[in-house]
Amino acid sequence: MPNPVLAADPGLPIAILNEIYDCLSLALDASERPTSYSQSEREARSYMRTALRRTERLLNQR
């Protein structure tokens, strides 16, 4: 069931932000390994960490 969003609230529904946060966390966990990463893998993980931090900030603003 979709979460209703008030017209006065321009942000994303909290459920969507939570889902994005969970997906990013799982992606980082799944890609964790003891060996070294290639340059493209390091960049991808950096983008995921940045997205995770930004999502966390949005969650804490609500």
Side-chain angles (χ1 to χ4, degrees):
M1 173 183 249
N3 291 337
V5 177
L6 300 174
D9 185 5
L12 291 173
I14 194 73
I16 292 173
L17 290 172
N18 281 325
E19 185 177 353
I20 292 168
Y21 182 87
D22 290 344
C23 287
L24 289 167
S25 296
L26 288 170
L28 279 172
D29 288 349
S31 65
E32 188 68 33
R33 65 173 190 237
T35 59
S36 61
Y37 296 102
S38 70
Q39 178 63 29
S40 61
E41 288 171 322
R42 283 194 299 274
E43 288 176 13
R45 288 176 57 80
S46 175
Y47 292 139
M48 282 193 287
R49 284 191 301 273
T50 299
L52 189 61
R53 282 192 301 272
R54 289 181 180 176
T55 304
E56 194 169 36
R57 273 188 240 130
L58 287 170
L59 286 167
N60 290 329
Q61 287 178 3
R62 296 187 163 263

